[in-house]
Amino acid sequence: LTVTGVQTCALPISAVAVAVSLVIRLALDPYLGDESPLLAFVVAIAAAGLFGGLGAGLFATGLSALLGDFFFVGGRFQVGSLSVADVVRMGLFISEGIAISYLAGQLRGKNESLEVLTAELKESNESLNTFVRTVSHDLRAPLRAMSGYAEMLNQEFSSRSEEHTSELQSQSTISYAVF
């Protein structure tokens, strides 16, 4: 199931990844304070993009921006009370989130293409192996017949004199050279 190109299970997983990043950032807040307020969300954006593609990464970027604004940027526990520096910080974060989402989505698409090509290659190899076994079998049958005929000739002519055998061998060499 997809919703405008995004797997429906990717959006909840993206939301969970952002929530985990929020919890981690809140736990680190006493140590980090106002430093790097949005950095913890980058991992959630990358994970969402890799798992769900561009749409999931963009969803994680938007959700991270909203939660980051509310909890860490500007006035804490307020949305929209941003200084010019905070607007620039948020704009950079959203731009980076879009870039990460795009690149992760491209990587995901390439991995899917690679999986398809790998499956096709395996199928091709199986067909090649089947062909080789068939050709090998088809070539063995005439060789077995010739080997049996040669063995029969060997048994028949082993009782004859050396002189007669040499004469037959020279005749067979001449016949072979003609063909």
Side-chain angles (χ1 to χ4, degrees):
L1 265 170
T2 60
V3 176
T4 62
V6 180
Q7 294 178 351
T8 52
C9 61
L11 296 181
I13 291 174
S14 300
V16 169
V18 170
V20 168
S21 294
L22 175 64
V23 169
I24 290 170
R25 180 58 178 90
L26 285 171
L28 294 174
D29 195 47
Y31 306 104
L32 297 176
D34 291 336
E35 296 297 318
S36 304
L38 303 170
L39 187 60
F41 295 106
V42 172
V43 174
I45 294 168
L50 286 172
F51 179 76
L54 176 63
L58 293 176
F59 174 76
T61 299
L63 185 59
S64 295
L66 285 174
L67 292 174
D69 178 29
F70 183 76
F71 284 99
F72 305 111
V73 180
R76 297 239 171 169
F77 307 110
Q78 298 176 18
V79 175
S81 59
L82 300 174
S83 67
V84 172
D86 292 336
V87 169
V88 169
R89 179 182 291 140
M90 193 61 71
L92 286 172
F93 173 75
I94 291 171
S95 299
E96 291 167 354
I98 291 169
I100 291 169
S101 299
Y102 174 76
L103 293 173
Q106 290 295 311
L107 182 61
R108 182 172 191 260
K110 298 296 181 189
N111 283 341
E112 289 173 352
S113 297
L114 187 60
E115 288 173 4
V116 168
L117 289 174
T118 301
E120 290 174 359
L121 182 61
K122 285 180 182 179
E123 184 179 318
S124 176
N125 282 342
E126 288 173 11
S127 296
L128 180 62
N129 286 337
T130 301
F131 174 75
V132 167
R133 282 192 298 273
T134 302
V135 168
S136 174
H137 179 267
D138 290 349
L139 289 176
R140 282 188 203 141
L143 288 176
R144 277 192 293 252
M146 288 189 298
S147 176
Y149 184 68
E151 182 65 31
M152 183 181 74
L153 288 174
N154 189 27
Q155 287 175 0
E156 183 176 323
F157 290 111
S158 65
S159 61
R160 295 193 182 186
S161 70
E162 265 315 300
E163 195 176 291
H164 191 261
T165 304
S166 296
E167 182 182 322
L168 286 175
Q169 284 178 343
S170 66
Q171 288 176 358
S172 66
T173 305
I174 291 170
S175 298
Y176 179 73
V178 171
F179 290 112

